[in-house]
Amino acid sequence: MSRSGENAARAMEAVSVEGWWQRCNESKPNSGLEQRSSRPPGCSLRLPGVAVPTGCAAGRAPQAPSTRNDIRACSADPPYLPRTATNTTARLATLRGIMRTHSVHAYIVPSTDAHMSEYISERDARLGWLTGFTGSAGTAVVTQDKAALWTDSRYWTQAERELDCNWELQRTISIESIGMWILKAVPAEGKVSLDPFLFSIDTWKSYSRALHGSGRTLHPLETNLVDQAWGDQRPPPSSSEIYSLPAEFTGRSWQEKVAGIRQRMEQHVRRPTAVLLSGLEETAWLFNLRGDDIPYNPVFYSYTLLTNTTISLFVEESRLSAAARESLRSGCPGPLCVELQEYGQVSAHLRRYAQGSVTVWLGTEYTTYGLYAIIPQEKLLEESYSPVMMAKAVKNTHEQEMLRAAHVRDAVAVIQYLLWLEKAVPQGHVDEFSGAQQIDAFRWAQEHSRGPSFQSISASGLNAALAHYRDGTTDITRTVHWGEPTPLQKEAYTRVLMGNIDLSRLIFPSNTAGSLAPVPPLHSPGRTVESFARRALWNVGLNYGHGTGHGIGNFLSVHEWPVGFQSNNVPLEAGMFTSIEPGYYQDGEFGIRIEDVALVVEAQTEHQSGEKPFLTFEVVSLVPYDRNLINLSLLSPEQIRYLNSYYERIRAHVGPELRRQQLEEAYAWLQESTEPFPMSSAGPAAAGTLALASLLSVLLSGLGA
């Protein structure tokens, strides 16, 4: 589905920093350039990833042999598989036997679950179990004699490490490509099957179009064939407690939220009688409930059918805490009484409800074709996102303050970590795994921490070329270097930083999404805004292959739709949080990402055109960038002024918290790392200013400006 290409990638293998360290020191003499005393010469450390990735080892690794031993070589004689590959021969044989019993010629397996979640539980990791591939985005198709995996560029190297030679790797996620492959692999009149409760409405329709007129039929099978093949080895469902989020962390009661959604139903021209919620974040947000069904995402398996007068929550009732159950039932009887029904009964209940004179409002991005097909077409109100998803995207004042405070505490943890690295890395006792453990430990020590927002990505050297806190939620990436960076590393880092700055300080019209042109809600025509994050890289022929940002939840998912800079994101509004995360990745050598979280706020402009004020970003991530990698001569005076102002804010907000926690050494590190940059080091004023102005004039030309 459309969200599967969003933003994070996985670092794969821990690399011993000691081994890299020795080879770095052997291969690169000390240049004599000025460095921090704690940084040994000739080596670098990259910390990419989300939630401040950790890690270590060489920024530019020694040249690998011509034949890489970390990826498969299926054309070799005999074929070579790295230790990270999974033997899938028996699994495929079992699945193919089950396919024959159902007369299925091709079976399509997605990477998502029944709620279109980006991250899934182990129980729902069907693609991973079948293929061995653990990336978050992919599709597999199995026939009686072939098997293929489709994934995007973030995961190509990872797939070559994890797949065995039973699998063809298709370097695209295009459904048209999948359809063409099926047409070649499946005979005419063949049956192509899938589980309709694991595919979005749009994805189902795309497969139907791809096969239309070919003689092959797309046949839904509610019995999941991978589950049958997996058998008793499939992990059990979660049994952890579902709990209420205290009012101090929400700013609004669930009853107020329900009233707000019902008001939107009344105001809609179609006057829907019910809203169906399939996204796990939707129900969690609406009822101020949280769970632990998916690692690093505080959600639980559930559906909600909210009508004008009733509320049906489909969930495993026995898992609700006493306080949660009491809260949900406090309005009984009456329109604020939550009727608790078993999770597996949602289809039957929806089928009964749809028999009446009703109109069901649903968001197509998170509703599966299986549920969608239950409701007669004339009784559907379809929009990309439900009214709950749209309401959740705009954080209230209390939530905004909570997220700001969470980032101050997170900055304390990250600064402690960076200081720890400066001491530990030169001793040769840090690898990617231990680095990730350490940052998690620093975060756990902070007040209100409930764990990382997803697994800390710790990558170094060639692993850093793979592009990819549950207290807020926070999401931050810093890349650092020990020693003398190569000219390319330093230029690439500086240009990534320039892109981060240019987007962070952008002022733009209200009702803007991917395009600078004001657009109707839910109709973003492009990715124009994110061009500001790419301009400095584009100027020298560099780029990155992932999105520039995504929404951030309030103690919810770290990738929260529908906010962001993609063409299918919604227009930005004040109160939305988004990440800003340009990067650059040199395959097999090094990687760079600089990621901050920003709040959309009203801009203070000299003039105002139109009814609504212009908007800008307030960066709430408060961790300094690596001075060792910044080429100040590339920055414009405006960019240096922005950096110095940002560093003043870091000192003002994080410094007092470090002292309150009696972290004096970390406080001293912060003071040193946030020294103002000299304006005299900036490049020619016209270089940055005119280039940005030129881009802005081109983008605004569509407005008739």
Side-chain angles (χ1 to χ4, degrees):
M1 62 181 303
S2 58
R3 295 185 307 282
S4 64
E6 181 69 8
N7 289 320
R10 298 281 186 263
M12 289 304 303
E13 298 175 279
V15 176
S16 167
V17 72
E18 185 172 6
W20 282 110
W21 207 261
Q22 292 172 348
R23 281 178 282 173
C24 268
N25 283 328
E26 291 166 0
S27 61
K28 291 187 179 179
N30 186 355
S31 67
L33 296 179
E34 181 180 355
Q35 303 164 12
R36 289 185 181 173
S37 59
S38 58
R39 295 188 177 189
C43 287
S44 66
L45 170 69
R46 186 217 169 208
L47 311 177
V50 193
V52 151
T54 62
C56 42
R60 186 187 269 289
Q63 291 299 309
S66 58
T67 301
R68 290 178 60 175
N69 62 5
D70 64 327
I71 62 175
R72 63 181 184 160
C74 295
S75 60
D77 186 15
Y80 170 77
L81 295 177
R83 61 180 177 82
T84 49
T86 299
N87 186 338
T88 64
T89 301
R91 300 174 185 184
L92 283 169
T94 303
L95 176 61
R96 284 166 171 153
I98 297 171
M99 289 168 58
R100 285 192 293 271
T101 65
H102 289 271
S103 300
V104 170
H105 294 87
Y107 193 64
I108 308 174
V109 183
S111 57
T112 190
D113 62 11
H115 302 272
M116 302 292 99
S117 305
E118 179 182 9
Y119 299 103
I120 58 177
S121 69
E122 291 185 4
R123 179 175 174 81
D124 287 320
R126 298 173 178 89
L127 184 76
W129 175 82
L130 181 64
T131 67
F133 171 69
T134 59
S136 65
T139 301
V141 180
V142 177
T143 68
Q144 287 300 324
D145 59 356
K146 294 182 179 180
L149 172 75
W150 285 258
T151 191
D152 63 68
S153 60
R154 295 172 298 153
Y155 298 116
W156 291 345
T157 299
Q158 178 176 340
E160 294 287 9
R161 292 176 173 184
E162 295 182 323
L163 297 175
D164 66 8
C165 292
N166 287 309
W167 293 89
E168 303 171 17
L169 175 59
Q170 305 290 327
R171 298 171 182 261
T172 176
I173 56 173
S174 160
I175 291 179
E176 290 77 10
S177 170
I178 300 174
M180 290 297 294
W181 189 92
I182 290 173
L183 293 180
K184 293 178 181 178
V186 175
E189 310 304 323
K191 184 164 73 173
V192 180
S193 287
L194 48 72
D195 182 343
F197 289 94
L198 295 181
F199 288 83
S200 71
I201 300 164
D202 289 343
T203 301
W204 170 275
K205 291 179 179 178
S206 295
Y207 279 117
S208 295
R209 287 193 297 269
L211 300 180
H212 180 71
S214 70
R216 287 83 171 172
T217 58
L218 187 61
H219 182 72
L221 274 179
E222 294 189 14
T223 299
N224 190 284
L225 304 190
V226 174
D227 290 352
Q228 286 191 354
W230 205 345
D232 294 340
Q233 299 302 309
R234 186 184 179 205
S238 175
S239 59
S240 61
E241 184 178 72
I242 300 169
Y243 55 94
S244 292
L245 200 60
E248 62 186 286
F249 294 105
T250 63
R252 294 177 69 195
S253 69
W254 71 260
Q255 291 90 344
E256 291 175 304
K257 293 179 179 179
V258 165
I261 299 305
R262 283 174 167 162
Q263 184 178 29
R264 293 191 182 206
M265 294 165 62
E266 287 290 325
Q267 294 172 345
H268 198 286
V269 64
R270 289 279 306 277
R271 299 292 292 271
T273 61
V275 173
L276 174 64
L277 305 180
S278 293
L280 299 183
E281 297 173 14
E282 297 177 300
T283 290
W285 177 86
L286 183 63
F287 295 112
N288 292 334
L289 298 175
R290 300 294 188 268
D292 295 297
D293 290 11
I294 295 178
Y296 310 108
N297 293 267
V299 295
F300 53 94
Y301 288 110
S302 57
Y303 294 95
T304 297
L305 187 68
L306 172 66
T307 77
N308 295 319
T309 57
T310 65
I311 309 170
S312 297
L313 171 59
F314 301 88
V315 68
E316 193 66 39
E317 182 178 353
S318 62
R319 296 176 52 204
L320 290 167
S321 68
R325 190 178 295 106
E326 180 181 354
S327 172
L328 296 172
R329 303 290 292 171
S330 61
C332 298
L336 290 175
C337 173
V338 179
E339 302 172 2
L340 299 174
Q341 304 201 36
E342 287 302 308
Y343 172 78
Q345 293 300 308
V346 62
S347 295
H349 183 93
L350 189 60
R351 188 170 286 106
R352 289 193 299 270
Y353 181 78
Q355 292 175 358
S357 178
V358 299
T359 301
V360 180
W361 191 359
L362 54 80
T364 57
E365 288 285 330
Y366 283 83
T367 305
T368 65
Y369 181 80
L371 288 179
Y372 171 84
I374 292 174
I375 308 168
Q377 193 67 36
E378 68 274 10
K379 298 181 180 182
L380 278 169
L381 168 55
E382 303 175 48
E383 293 183 355
S384 295
Y385 304 103
S386 76
V388 169
M389 194 66 75
M390 297 299 296
K392 176 172 60 64
V394 179
K395 308 301 186 285
N396 60 48
T397 302
H398 185 73
E399 289 174 314
Q400 293 175 26
E401 290 305 315
M402 282 179 44
L403 284 160
R404 288 189 181 100
H407 276 275
V408 171
R409 295 191 297 273
D410 193 56
V412 169
V414 175
I415 288 168
Q416 286 181 275
Y417 176 63
L418 293 174
L419 176 60
W420 175 83
L421 282 173
E422 287 196 354
K423 296 178 178 180
V425 168
Q427 299 174 9
H429 300 311
V430 183
D431 60 25
E432 293 173 338
F433 179 73
S434 63
Q437 287 184 312
Q438 189 64 46
I439 182 59
D440 288 348
F442 282 131
R443 282 178 161 145
W444 270 113
Q446 292 299 308
E447 184 182 13
H448 303 308
S449 177
R450 295 295 298 263
S453 55
F454 53 82
Q455 185 174 11
S456 294
I457 297 176
S458 170
S460 60
L462 61 86
N463 281 345
L466 300 174
H468 232 225
Y469 194 58
R470 211 196 285 173
D471 175 16
T473 303
T474 67
D475 190 1
I476 179 175
T477 305
R478 291 294 182 266
T479 302
V480 299
H481 189 288
W482 271 261
E484 180 189 357
T486 67
L488 176 59
Q489 289 171 339
K490 195 162 185 174
E491 179 178 5
Y493 180 92
T494 304
R495 291 185 179 280
V496 169
L497 177 61
M498 292 164 69
N500 182 294
I501 292 171
D502 287 346
L503 183 52
S504 297
R505 67 190 186 97
L506 181 67
I507 296 175
F508 53 93
S510 295
N511 214 21
T512 296
S515 168
L516 276 175
V519 293
L522 298 178
H523 290 85
S524 167
R527 299 182 178 180
T528 311
V529 164
E530 77 153 12
S531 300
F532 287 84
R534 298 180 187 267
R535 178 190 63 88
L537 289 164
W538 285 351
N539 283 346
V540 293
L542 302 180
N543 202 2
Y544 52 93
H546 56 74
T548 298
H550 54 81
I552 304 289
N554 175 34
F555 187 27
L556 270 172
S557 297
V558 71
H559 292 167
E560 182 177 80
W561 278 65
V563 178
F565 300 105
Q566 295 192 148
S567 58
N568 52 354
N569 288 130
V570 298
L572 296 170
E573 296 181 34
M576 292 178 172
F577 281 85
T578 181
S579 68
I580 295 176
E581 49 180 300
Y584 176 71
Y585 311 93
Q586 187 77 15
D587 187 31
E589 297 188 33
F590 67 90
I592 294 164
R593 183 182 294 184
I594 300 175
E595 177 178 16
D596 289 306
V597 172
L599 169 65
V600 182
V601 296
E602 294 184 0
Q604 303 301 312
T605 55
E606 183 178 356
H607 305 287
Q608 180 173 330
S609 59
E611 298 180 357
K612 294 184 177 181
F614 276 47
L615 302 174
T616 190
F617 297 107
E618 173 196 333
V619 175
V620 298
S621 304
L622 297 171
V623 177
Y625 310 114
D626 187 0
R627 306 174 81 93
N628 195 45
L629 281 164
I630 300 175
N631 182 348
L632 291 176
S633 68
L634 293 177
L635 271 60
S636 68
E638 291 86 352
Q639 290 167 335
I640 291 183
R641 275 193 287 270
Y642 174 90
L643 272 179
N644 288 340
S645 175
Y646 176 57
Y647 279 11
E648 286 179 10
R649 286 203 297 119
I650 294 177
R651 285 186 171 191
H653 291 283
V654 182
E657 182 63 18
L658 287 168
R659 289 204 143 168
R660 187 187 72 80
Q661 296 187 30
Q662 299 181 346
L663 299 170
E664 292 299 325
E665 188 177 11
Y667 177 80
W669 183 95
L670 176 65
Q671 296 299 109
E672 177 187 355
S673 300
T674 54
E675 284 290 330
F677 293 99
M679 294 298 301
S680 59
S681 300
T689 305
L690 293 181
L692 198 60
S694 176
L695 176 62
L696 183 60
S697 66
V698 171
L699 300 179
L700 288 176
S701 62
L703 289 173

